[in-house]
Amino acid sequence: MRRLNSPVFWVAIFMAATLAGTAHAHGIAGNRVFYPTLTIDDPAVMDELSLPTLTTVRQNAASDGSAQGFRLYDFGAEWDKRITENFGLAVNADYLLQHNDDGTTGKGFDNFSLTLKYKAFVSDAHEFMASVGVTREFGGTGSGAVGASANGSTTPKIYFGKGLGDLPIGYLRPLAVTGTCGYQFSDKRNSDPDQMNVGLSVQYSLPYLQQHVVDIGLPAFFARVTPLVEFNLTRVQGEQVTGTVAPGILYDEKSWQFGIEALLPMNGATNTNVGVIAQMHFFLDHLFPDSLGKPLFR
Amino acid sequence: MKKSTCIITLAAVLSLNLPGAEKARAHAFLDHADPRVGATVAASIDRVRIWFDSVLEPAFSTVSVHDATGKTVDKGDGRVNPSDARLLEVSVPRLAPGTYRVTWSVVARDGHRTTGDYTFVIK
């Protein structure tokens, strides 16, 4: 894991990315564009950069007094790079600020993670996309002051996206559902139990409505907006399910996207107040089609 | 180097190393069309026109019009307009009342291909 901490590693990755490759990309299946979502990963394999993803949420104190409450600020970044047209990797980093109720502040990086993803199937006619991947969290690369675990984990995942544009449902054709499901195998299960993670998004694409169903003369701004709700559930082995419901909007400007969502706790066990997540997202295949935005190998 | 510094360095490297000539280009998506997407028009039309939000590659951009049975009904002269590289158009004969589907496949100048379709109705 030392390599990921080294600027030499980043520069090497960058240089490799600019050396070879071809262009083509985006999360497109027929008429459908699967936009990057904020709390769950989308099924596409793309050249993209999320910088920054800002999250703030208040975690309440544990009811049994075992843990104090705190407000968390998360400054996240993710870089996705295609190796081939359908295979890519993503590197995630999050810098956390944790203001505890006792007046102390913890700060530092969360553990780094690396995801490999393969886009296995696309049906243009049925607006369907499916991918498989695996995420490796490198234990001990983050700061204990913000709760980064010393133990790592490995999470195999499946991803899918399905647009409803192939169905005879009129004004509901702009609807799409994306989802991901992963099982996180902890390196040390006695201290960090395994957990199941499930994510789902339901989107209504106003661009799709305008371009493929009926042009209702939306103003330019609204013709780029996709309202959505994301659901994120986690079940740690032996514990109750926790999660968030995140309603919000995505605004797509082709080469970049801005998204903002409320983070609502799904149940009492989630034990948070309402939070907010916002993200600036850059489509590198649009911005830099001849260098960073193309796969390393065709 | 701190990790935060590393990320800032990476962002700076990205912005510096990527030539300014590589200005934003993109997939081509439908901007608007005539007849409009999903519209019902009272009279017949002589051509279908689609304006895209990016400049098209004429050699690799096509458009067709099909009737409700899937039969192609356009005159086969689909092309990118020579004086407006964002406009894809095709002539059609006098169309009988019914639902027609327009399909297109276009390549933007950066080589990205997009495909799509929409319908309109002749009353």
Side-chain angles (χ1 to χ4, degrees):
Chain A
M1 238 347 269
R2 288 174 60 90
R3 284 197 318 152
L4 273 179
N5 297 338
S6 163
V8 174
F9 173 79
W10 291 96
V11 172
I13 287 282
F14 164 73
M15 291 180 66
T18 58
L19 286 178
T22 58
H24 220 60
H26 234 74
I28 294 176
N31 287 341
R32 180 68 53 177
V33 178
F34 293 111
Y35 298 105
T37 41
L38 274 60
T39 67
I40 67 172
D41 198 1
D42 64 87
V45 174
M46 294 195 280
D47 288 286
E48 54 190 347
L49 180 70
S50 297
L51 185 71
T53 301
L54 304 175
T55 309
T56 179
V57 66
R58 175 172 164 72
Q59 179 81 33
N60 298 322
S63 56
D64 61 3
S66 61
Q68 64 176 322
F70 57 86
R71 174 161 287 282
L72 184 69
Y73 298 93
D74 183 335
F75 305 87
E78 177 177 317
W79 181 29
D80 292 62
K81 178 65 209 158
R82 282 180 299 167
I83 307 302
T84 67
E85 187 68 34
N86 297 317
F87 176 68
L89 59 82
V91 180
N92 283 79
D94 291 83
Y95 187 80
L96 306 177
L97 270 177
Q98 183 175 315
H99 294 305
N100 299 313
D101 286 352
D102 66 3
T104 60
T105 299
K107 57 186 175 182
F109 274 89
D110 199 356
N111 285 337
F112 285 86
S113 66
L114 176 70
T115 298
L116 304 178
K117 191 198 289 186
Y118 177 70
K119 186 169 65 181
F121 180 74
V122 177
S123 169
D124 289 337
H126 297 291
E127 301 179 359
F128 181 76
M129 182 180 292
S131 302
V132 294
V134 61
T135 296
R136 175 64 190 170
E137 178 184 334
F138 298 97
T141 57
S143 168
V146 290
S149 175
N151 304 320
S153 64
T154 302
T155 310
K157 297 176 178 177
I158 57 172
Y159 312 82
F160 76 92
K162 172 74 180 91
L164 304 190
D166 59 334
L167 302 177
I169 52 177
Y171 283 87
L172 296 180
R173 288 179 58 215
L175 278 169
V177 178
T178 70
T180 178
C181 182
Y183 191 86
Q184 181 177 309
F185 295 94
S186 174
D187 289 355
K188 294 183 179 176
R189 295 180 186 172
N190 51 355
S191 54
D192 287 327
D194 291 352
Q195 62 185 50
M196 173 78 85
N197 301 310
V198 176
L200 192 72
S201 82
V202 180
Q203 315 171 11
Y204 189 86
S205 170
L206 294 179
Y208 191 103
L209 174 71
Q210 283 284 116
Q211 296 168 18
H212 303 291
V213 181
V214 59
D215 179 354
I216 58 173
L218 284 173
F221 174 83
F222 292 103
R224 295 187 176 281
V225 169
T226 297
L228 77 166
V229 183
E230 296 182 39
F231 303 87
N232 218 323
L233 292 82
T234 298
R235 174 159 190 170
V236 178
Q237 203 168 55
E239 297 182 12
Q240 191 176 343
V241 173
T242 60
T244 56
V245 179
I249 61 166
L250 305 176
Y251 178 83
D252 177 67
E253 194 54 75
K254 292 187 74 171
S255 58
W256 57 268
Q257 174 186 289
F258 175 74
I260 185 165
E261 297 174 355
L263 292 171
L264 313 178
M266 183 169 286
N267 54 17
T270 305
N271 199 32
T272 64
N273 293 341
V274 175
V276 176
I277 182 170
Q279 182 184 81
M280 254 332 272
H281 191 94
F282 300 94
F283 299 106
L284 301 181
D285 62 315
H286 280 182
L287 288 166
F288 311 115
D290 300 324
S291 55
L292 264 189
K294 61 183 181 181
L296 297 180
F297 307 101
R298 171 161 269 176
Chain B
M1 184 186 292
K2 285 184 175 179
K3 290 165 188 168
S4 55
T5 310
C6 176
I7 289 174
I8 293 169
T9 302
L10 173 66
V13 167
L14 296 184
S15 60
L16 289 174
N17 249 309
L18 297 161
E22 236 181 290
K23 59 187 178 184
R25 293 170 289 178
H27 297 80
F29 293 109
L30 184 150
D31 184 74
H32 64 283
D34 180 25
R36 291 170 67 159
V37 173
T40 297
V41 294
S44 189
I45 54 175
D46 60 2
R47 58 181 171 164
V48 169
R49 297 184 292 174
I50 308 173
W51 285 266
F52 289 84
D53 59 3
S54 293
V55 171
L56 305 178
E57 195 62 60
F60 303 104
S61 300
T62 60
V63 56
S64 299
V65 182
H66 313 275
D67 66 15
T69 67
K71 179 186 171 189
T72 302
V73 297
D74 62 72
K75 292 184 176 178
D77 59 351
R79 62 170 188 168
V80 175
N81 187 297
S83 58
D84 183 356
R86 294 170 187 254
L87 171 57
L88 186 65
E89 57 189 358
V90 65
S91 304
V92 293
R94 182 173 182 81
L95 297 175
T99 300
Y100 295 87
R101 179 174 298 279
V102 182
T103 61
W104 74 86
S105 174
V106 299
V107 174
R109 281 284 167 83
D110 65 348
H112 288 128
R113 177 178 294 279
T114 49
T115 61
D117 66 347
Y118 75 89
T119 60
F120 66 89
V121 175
I122 299 289
K123 204 190 281 184

